[in-house]
Amino acid sequence: MMISTRGRYAIRIMIELAEKNSSEYIRLKDLSESQNISLKYLESITASLSKKGLIDATHGKGGGYKLNRPPEDYKVGDILRATEGSLAPVACLECDAKPCERAAECRTLPMWEKFNTLINNFFDGITIADLMKNKTESGYFGAAL
């Protein structure tokens, strides 16, 4: 599993929106400039986040994007699943995967299931508020391992 720029940028955008923590909407152009992300790519990312209900969007004069919940209510796992899809390390563990005909005799399935649980628990254990604190590996993230 590799997290794409789409997922990484989405997390950066969410942190910036949280740091602005304003009742006003942040313009896409401002996010694009501050994050050094092309407007077109940013539109795609924010559309995914908005569609999944992670951010509010409004168009026209005074339009833009903002969080609709406090930063501590946003799990990194939810943001990644909104932009990346499943975080499953193998196809047979995808949410919409067909049941594998070899699952009953698969010797590696328990390993992949445990790894999948570790991945999801790790990302679901980190919030945007945690990332705003700028903890290092010896802090929050070291304890999560």
Side-chain angles (χ1 to χ4, degrees):
M1 174 197 68
M2 182 172 297
I3 305 298
S4 71
T5 57
R6 184 177 175 82
R8 295 192 327 263
Y9 291 175
I11 294 168
R12 286 177 23 196
I13 292 162
M14 297 294 283
I15 293 168
E16 181 169 346
L17 291 175
E19 287 173 343
K20 303 277 186 195
N21 199 16
S22 171
S23 59
E24 295 179 23
Y25 289 86
I26 309 302
R27 296 181 326 151
L28 198 61
K29 182 179 180 202
D30 294 337
L31 286 171
S32 174
E33 290 173 2
S34 66
Q35 293 296 322
N36 197 26
I37 303 170
S38 80
L39 209 51
K40 186 171 177 120
Y41 197 31
L42 192 56
E43 285 173 349
S44 169
I45 295 168
T46 54
S48 295
L49 295 172
S50 180
K51 184 178 178 184
K52 294 291 185 175
L54 296 174
I55 58 176
D56 288 337
T58 187
H59 301 286
K61 187 175 182 175
Y65 297 88
K66 70 177 183 174
L67 298 185
N68 53 30
R69 303 189 300 261
E72 54 274 1
D73 290 350
Y74 288 95
K75 298 176 190 175
V76 170
D78 292 335
I79 297 164
L80 291 174
R81 283 185 287 275
T83 55
E84 300 286 328
S86 170
L87 298 176
V90 291
C92 64
L93 295 178
E94 295 280 340
C95 293
D96 57 353
K98 296 178 189 173
C100 177
E101 58 195 44
R102 295 185 40 85
E105 67 239 13
C106 181
R107 292 182 173 189
T108 62
L109 183 58
M111 172 187 68
W112 294 124
E113 289 172 332
K114 185 171 183 175
F115 185 50
N116 188 48
T117 299
L118 288 168
I119 291 167
N120 282 280
N121 287 345
F122 178 77
F123 287 124
D124 286 340
I126 303 168
T127 67
I128 291 299
D130 295 324
L131 296 176
M132 291 170 67
K133 295 174 189 171
N134 201 21
K135 294 282 185 174
T136 63
E137 188 149 340
S138 62
Y140 177 81
F141 302 109
L145 296 178

